Amino acid sequence: MANRTRSNKKHPKRTNSGHTNPDAEGGAARPLRFHNALKALGPGLITGASDDDPSGIGTYSEAGAQLGYGIGWIMLLTFPLMAAIQEISARVGRVTGHGIAGNVCRHYSPWLLNVVVAMLFIANTINIGADLGAMADATKLLIGGHSIAYVLLFGVTSVAAQIFLDYKRYVSVLKWLTLSLFAYVAALAFANVSWGDALAGVLVPRPTWSVDYFTTIVAILGTTISPYLFFWQASQEAEDQRVDNTKRPLVERHHGAQQEFNRIRADTIIGMAFSNLIALSIIVTAAATLHAAGKTDIQSSADAAEALRPIAGAFAEMIFALGIIGTGLLAVPVLAGAAAYAVGEGRRWPVGLARKPKAAAAFYAVLALSAGIGIALNFTPINPISALYWSAVINGVLAVPVMVLLMLMARREDVMDRYVIKGPLYWLGWLSTAAMLLSVVAMGIGFLVGK
C-alpha cells in the first residue's frame, strides 16, 4: 500500500459556531458582503419585517393620511417597547428550547393554554384573510385580472413553500423578501416631504385630544406589538437550535450563553429598527401626499396605493403596490406558522418547518388549515376591513395576558434556570406590557363611546 503523505499546510481554526475563521492563521480577510451580513441575521429580522404586513401598511397609511406628520413620534416610542418584548420572547425560546405555547403547557393550566392558543389561531387566520385580500387587490391594480384568483395563488404558494421547501432555503427566501420593504423608503422620493415638519413630528409629540387621535395610537400599538410576533420569534429560536447540531437549549448547555444573548439582542434591535423605519416611511409618505391633498378616507393598503396615482404619479402607486405584495408574501407564512407552532407546541406534537411533512403531519395540517380558512374568508360576504378591525381587537386583548405570561415565565427559575430576565430589559418588558394594557383600555372606552 502506498504511503500517504501528510500535508504541511496549516488549516484555519474553527470558531465556536463550527465555521472556519480565515484570519486565524494569517489568511486574507474576506470582504464584508451584503449577502453575508443578511445571512448573519435571523428570527429578529424576519419577525420585524413581517410586522409591516399589508394590514399594518393600511394602518400606517391611514394614520399618515388622517393626522399628517404629527403622529410620527409614536414610532420612536414603540421601538424600545417592541424590541424589549421581542428580545424576551427570543430568550425564552433559546434558553428553554421551546416556544411560548410549549412553555405555557409545561408550567400553567391547560384551560389558560387553550384560551390563548384559540384566540391566537382566530386572530391570525383573520389577519391572513385580510392580508391575502390586500395582496390580491394590489396585484389587480398592477396587472388587472380577478382578485380571487390572486388570493388562491398567493395563499397556496405560501403554504406549499412552508411545507415542501428545505428549511434553510425557506428561511433564506424570507430574508430576501424583507428587501421588498425598501419599496416604502423609495416611495419617499415621489413625495414632496417637508422634512422639517416630519422631523418635528418624530421628535416632538403634540397630541391632539380627540377620539380619532387616540384611536389611531391604539391601532398603531396593536399593529406593532402583536402576539403572533412573540410566538413566532420564540419558536424560531427554538427551531434554529434544533436544526443546529452544535447547539442545545441553554438550560442544558450553558457554554456560549452570553454570545447567544448578544446575537439575539443585535438581531432583534436590527429587526425592530428596520420595522419601525419602514412604518415611519409609510406614515411620512401618506402625510406628504394624501394628508396634504386632503385625502383622509383611506381604509386599506390597497386604497393608499390607488390614491397615490393622482397625487404622486403612477410609479409611486406601483412601488407601493409591489411593497404590499412583497410584505404579504413574508407575513402570511409567519402568521400561519405562528398559529401552527402555538397549537402544535401546546399539544406537544412534533413541530417545526425543518421537519419533513410526514414527521410533523399535525403541525403542517394546522398551518394549512389556518391559511385555508384565511383564503376562504375572501369568498364570503364578510367585509375585510371589518374582519381586520375585529382581528385587531382580538390581538389587542390577547397581547396583554400573553405579555404578562411571558414576563412571569421570564422570571421563573424553573423555566429559565440561571438565565431569568432582570435589570433594564425586565422593566422595559413590563413597561411595554403596561403600554399595551392602556391601549386596550383606551380601545374599549372608544368602542363604548362609539356605541
Side-chain angles (χ1 to χ4, degrees):
M1 181 182 292
N3 291 331
R4 293 178 181 173
T5 58
R6 286 185 183 175
S7 169
N8 291 325
K9 183 179 179 179
K10 291 182 179 180
H11 295 285
K13 291 181 180 178
R14 291 186 175 270
T15 62
N16 289 335
S17 63
H19 298 292
T20 58
N21 181 356
D23 294 324
E25 296 291 336
R30 293 180 183 175
L32 181 63
R33 300 181 188 278
F34 178 77
H35 175 74
N36 294 334
L38 186 66
K39 193 174 179 181
L41 299 174
L45 174 67
I46 296 172
T47 303
S50 67
D51 191 30
D52 294 321
D53 67 330
S55 60
I57 293 166
T59 299
Y60 302 135
S61 299
E62 185 178 0
Q66 288 186 354
L67 302 173
Y69 299 118
I71 196 65
W73 64 272
I74 193 68
M75 301 317 304
L76 197 63
L77 174 67
T78 58
F79 170 63
L81 301 182
M82 67 188 295
I85 204 71
Q86 289 301 142
E87 182 180 338
I88 292 168
S89 301
R91 285 198 183 200
V92 168
R94 183 65 187 89
V95 168
T96 65
H98 304 291
I100 293 174
N103 280 294
V104 172
C105 80
R106 287 166 172 79
H107 299 283
Y108 295 92
S109 63
W111 71 265
L112 179 61
L113 172 72
N114 291 336
V115 169
V116 167
V117 170
M119 289 181 69
L120 181 78
F121 183 89
I122 292 168
N124 283 15
T125 299
I126 294 172
N127 217 328
I128 289 170
D131 283 354
L132 288 172
M135 294 161 68
D137 289 342
T139 307
K140 187 177 178 181
L141 278 177
L142 291 176
I143 60 176
H146 297 285
S147 294
I148 291 300
Y150 298 133
V151 167
L152 285 169
L153 174 65
F154 290 132
V156 172
T157 300
S158 295
V159 173
Q162 284 184 291
I163 295 175
F164 297 112
L165 271 185
D166 172 75
Y167 176 71
K168 289 184 179 179
R169 181 173 296 177
Y170 180 68
V171 170
S172 178
V173 169
L174 291 183
K175 286 182 184 178
W176 282 107
L177 277 173
T178 63
L179 298 180
S180 64
L181 288 168
F182 282 110
Y184 296 105
V185 178
L188 288 171
F190 298 91
N192 185 22
V193 179
S194 172
W195 291 107
D197 291 341
L199 188 62
V202 172
L203 299 178
V204 184
R206 293 189 180 120
T208 302
W209 302 100
S210 67
V211 172
D212 286 345
Y213 191 88
F214 284 100
T215 300
T216 302
I217 290 176
V218 170
I220 290 174
L221 279 171
T223 299
T224 54
I225 305 176
S226 295
Y228 78 88
L229 301 175
F230 319 150
F231 282 85
W232 173 262
Q233 190 163 354
S235 295
Q236 282 299 287
E237 283 292 340
E239 180 87 348
D240 283 356
Q241 164 258 298
R242 279 196 297 269
V243 301
D244 189 338
N245 292 329
T246 67
K247 291 182 178 181
R248 297 292 300 162
L250 292 177
V251 292
E252 298 176 15
R253 183 185 295 174
H254 302 306
H255 178 70
Q258 191 56 53
Q259 182 180 354
E260 285 295 282
F261 292 150
N262 291 341
R263 174 192 59 79
I264 286 171
R265 174 161 294 178
D267 185 26
T268 303
I269 288 176
I270 290 171
M272 300 309 123
F274 182 48
S275 172
N276 279 29
L277 171 65
I278 301 305
L280 185 59
S281 296
I282 296 168
I283 289 172
V284 170
T285 298
T289 54
L290 306 179
H291 182 78
K295 182 75 175 175
T296 60
D297 56 337
I298 300 301
Q299 294 190 328
S300 70
S301 53
D303 278 355
E306 194 168 17
L308 282 175
R309 175 186 282 271
I311 300 168
F315 203 56
E317 178 194 42
M318 183 180 73
I319 289 176
F320 219 80
L322 286 172
I324 293 167
I325 296 166
T327 58
L329 288 171
L330 176 66
V332 168
V334 172
L335 286 159
Y341 275 115
V343 174
E345 289 175 353
R347 295 290 177 268
R348 301 200 186 194
W349 296 336
V351 300
L353 296 171
R355 298 183 192 273
K356 300 295 183 184
K358 287 185 179 179
F363 167 79
Y364 285 114
V366 173
L367 189 154
L369 178 64
S370 179
I373 296 173
I375 292 170
L377 287 175
N378 286 276
F379 290 83
T380 68
I382 297 173
N383 184 310
I385 303 303
S386 298
L388 197 58
Y389 170 78
W390 286 107
S391 171
V393 171
I394 295 170
N395 267 319
V397 172
L398 177 60
V400 176
V402 170
M403 291 170 80
V404 170
L405 268 175
L406 186 59
M407 294 308 301
L408 294 175
M409 276 195 296
R411 197 67 167 182
R412 287 179 59 158
E413 289 188 4
D414 59 337
V415 177
M416 300 289 286
D417 195 58
R418 66 177 74 176
Y419 303 114
V420 292
I421 305 296
K422 51 191 175 183
L425 180 62
Y426 178 72
W427 295 112
L428 200 54
W430 275 117
L431 182 61
S432 180
T433 305
M436 201 63 217
L437 174 61
L438 287 174
S439 75
V440 171
V441 170
M443 180 173 62
I445 293 171
F447 181 74
L448 292 174
V449 170
K451 287 290 186 182

